[in-house]
Amino acid sequence: MRAVSSQLGAPRRTGTGPLKRVFVGRAISSNKAEHQLLPKFLALPVFSSDPLSSNAYATEEMMLVLVAAGAGALTLRLPIALAIAALLAIVVTSYRQTVRAYPAGGGSYIVARENLGTMPGLIAAAAILTDYVLTVAVSITAGTTAIASVDPEALVHLRVPIAIGLVALVTLANLRGVKEAGSLFAIPTYGFVLMIAITLVTGFVECLGGCPVAETADLPLDVEHTLSLFLIARAFSSGATALTGVEAIADGVPAFRRPQAKNAATTLAVMGAMSIAMFLGITALSQLLHVRITEDIAHELPVLAQIGDTVFGGGFMFLMLQVFTAGILVLAANTAFQDFPRLASILARDRFMPSQFRNRGDRLVFSNGVVVLAGLASLLIWVFDANLTRLIQLYVVGVFTAFTLSQAGMVRRWLRTREDKWQRSAVINGIGAATTGVVLVVVTITKFAKGAWIVIVAMPFIVLFFWAVHRHYEHVALALKARRLTGHDVATGTFLLLVPDLGPATRDAVAYLRAVRPETLTALYIGPSESFERVSADWHDVAPRMGELALLEGADRHLVRAVRRHVRSMPRHERDRFLTVVIPELLPRNSVWQFVRHREEFLLKTALLFEPRVVVTDIPVHPSADRAGRLSERALEPERNVVLVPVSAVHDPTVRAVIYGRSLKPTEMEALYLVTDPDEVPAVIDGWHERQLDVPLVLVDAPFRDYGPPLLEEIRAHTSRGDTIVTVVLPELVPRHWWESLLHNQTALFFKRALLFEPGVVVTSVPFHLAAPEVGAPDAAPVAESDDSGGPP
């Protein structure tokens, strides 16, 4: 057992290209994660931009419902706003309890799953993930509407491309890292709060001497509905958009500086106070200024814009209000960009979402979640034509579903744990659960026909997706727990060499086989049949003492079909754990585009991975300016035969790869564990000893989460010694269905690509099948708990 600290002292060695560095920035080492935690003054714009920005349109959405009953109904805007403000205070107080009880984050999902059960937890997760997607779509659309209001005639028809462009900008900002995004968004967020404060103070001061009147004060309003309790409930549910994003801080507690729970609770309180003050102030001032609104006017001059225009009389201050409003509405999407990836990573950790969502990018953010969120939000914006009123109808159902389940879960927790002052805490969360539950019913009834049915129908399918993913990972985990293989197992096998010609690639393959000294070898000619006699006559000069060269019928017409037919016809003895197919491959250039022109070899390697007990060894030869000491310049076996086995965890696929590696009779052999999270190292070391593996386990530091450079550094440490061939043995997971491949990281494929053009390296794939058990096969169990397809996770 030894540890290796990679000499990648600077991110330039991590494989990040120049263009990526310009847009995303230099990679950040994992040990710098603590420095990315947010102080409260940056956490507020990062996690509270959504609830703060909701005040820009919550009053307007409430008024758009009330105007259907005529101008008289608008007098109810302030009483309804007071009720919404009270609800917001209850929810904020309840979530402060949640933050203290669950400092590890996870919000509604964790609370509901731990206290109410897995299904309620998954429903909460589906609801909140849906809410985050809608947050981006609604916030960006609202910001686009504010931008379009500057010049409605020129910009109103460009809303969709403007909105999608803004999604791309916010996505790019978030890919640069949490702390950098917080610094970027701080100015628009605090600027918006300041401009709202100036607008409200100026407006109320002007009203001391008689309130100015908005231009829309005399706007005729058609009475479409009588004022009813149902209409008031609809207005309340529309105004309740002011509560969106409140749960974000509870989801993102781990992003705060220590003490995390205390800082998160304080930030939540500040956010709640700001939101309530702004929402009530905007609503009250809209009533004092006699602001009216219709659907047509809302697209050109929203309520907040009317208030600013009336208070400031146009001019510079009005323009600044519009600029900061547009800024906060666009950047409000940042709240979702912070929490959607974080929640997705928690679900992936619990095996309810694909494991790729656990991966951190160069800037220590869950970049896969960021990109997926951007794609889903852009799709919604395009489908709904960047129409805020249509999108807003989908919005609140998910929010209050998560609120209700979270608060109910907290009540259950207090009743179970009976911690200090549990009665008071249970009452607070109980009021929150009851209130948000009632609002959920109201919102569902009032918004169902307006579009909320889409979210309600979608959530069960999202939950079914969670269960399908979980069922797959549970099936994978069974094999790892079977513990069928140990270091005492011994491998034997047969080698099958495919000979297309007697060129450099075949000569390299012959030299490699001399190094591994197989017990049984069959050489098959797969080139043009008319050249077989000539190649066969020269075969013994190239490969003495390797037996006769046999012709594989039909290989020149359909290579994959012929090889598979022959492989399946070969006898399988119980002791022959492996059938190794050696494929010499001449690569005309150092580019992956060569696979387009030479598809057959690629398809053959892929097809053989699905054959039981078949190992695929690829021996590439490619152009190189410096070929000194490489295999193709000699027919003799190399002096040193080194085997390296990258591992992600200690399980049957790993042990099987190690057993195979030993069968190659190496002069030196090591297993490489690329360390991205030091906390995982003890479990790997313990598992290595439990499986009684006598192969040295090398811990290689991979601080930038890019496995290529550290692996290449280890390989080159061996190949630089001279006459050496390095065989990289990859344990590779082979799923039963093609779509299951999407649930794994495909690290083995990444390694194959990274090593394909590396001189002196042979890549061998040892597949582990997720198929039905085979009699006498070492991979008979359904496979592995690893979230990977081989190599590090």
Side-chain angles (χ1 to χ4, degrees), residues 134-157:
L134 287 165
T135 292
V136 177
V138 169
S139 299
I140 295 292
T141 300
T144 303
T145 302
I147 293 171
S149 68
V150 175
D151 189 354
E153 292 185 4
L155 299 176
V156 71
H157 300 296

Side-chain angles (χ1 to χ4, degrees), residues 369-381:
V370 171
V371 173
V372 168
L373 173 60
L376 293 173
S378 298
L379 180 63
L380 269 180
I381 290 171

Side-chain angles (χ1 to χ4, degrees), residues 243-268:
L243 277 72
T244 57
V246 171
E247 79 291 336
I249 291 176
D251 285 335
V253 178
F256 283 77
R257 280 186 182 172
R258 306 181 194 284
Q260 293 174 317
K262 180 181 178 182
N263 288 337
T266 301
T267 305
L268 192 54

Side-chain angles (χ1 to χ4, degrees), residues 201-284:
V201 170
T202 304
F204 287 129
V205 169
E206 288 182 1
C207 282
L208 294 177
C211 290
V213 177
E215 291 184 2
T216 58
D218 297 325
L219 182 72
L221 299 174
D222 298 329
V223 179
E224 300 175 2
H225 302 284
T226 57
L227 185 62
S228 63
L229 186 60
F230 181 76
L231 190 72
I232 295 172
R234 276 186 56 202
F236 177 87
S237 64
S238 294
T241 53
L243 277 72
T244 57
V246 171
E247 79 291 336
I249 291 176
D251 285 335
V253 178
F256 283 77
R257 280 186 182 172
R258 306 181 194 284
Q260 293 174 317
K262 180 181 178 182
N263 288 337
T266 301
T267 305
L268 192 54
V270 172
M271 180 273 294
M274 284 183 173
S275 292
I276 290 172
M278 287 194 294
F279 178 58
L280 290 178
I282 291 171
T283 305

Side-chain angles (χ1 to χ4, degrees), residues 167-190:
V167 171
L169 287 176
V170 178
T171 301
L172 190 60
N174 278 276
L175 288 174
R176 294 186 65 87
V178 176
K179 195 169 185 178
E180 194 159 337
S183 302
L184 178 65
F185 298 157
I187 294 176
T189 302
Y190 288 119

Side-chain angles (χ1 to χ4, degrees), residues 608-652:
L608 290 177
L609 283 177
F610 292 91
E611 294 296 321
R613 289 180 286 176
V614 172
V615 174
V616 180
T617 295
D618 185 34
I619 302 183
V621 175
H622 54 87
S624 176
D626 179 14
R627 301 276 298 168
R630 302 308 177 194
L631 288 178
S632 62
E633 293 194 351
R634 51 173 165 68
L636 301 176
E637 68 180 82
E639 294 180 1
R640 298 176 66 248
N641 170 26
V642 177
V643 172
L644 300 178
V645 184
V647 302
S648 62
V650 184
H651 43 49
D652 280 359

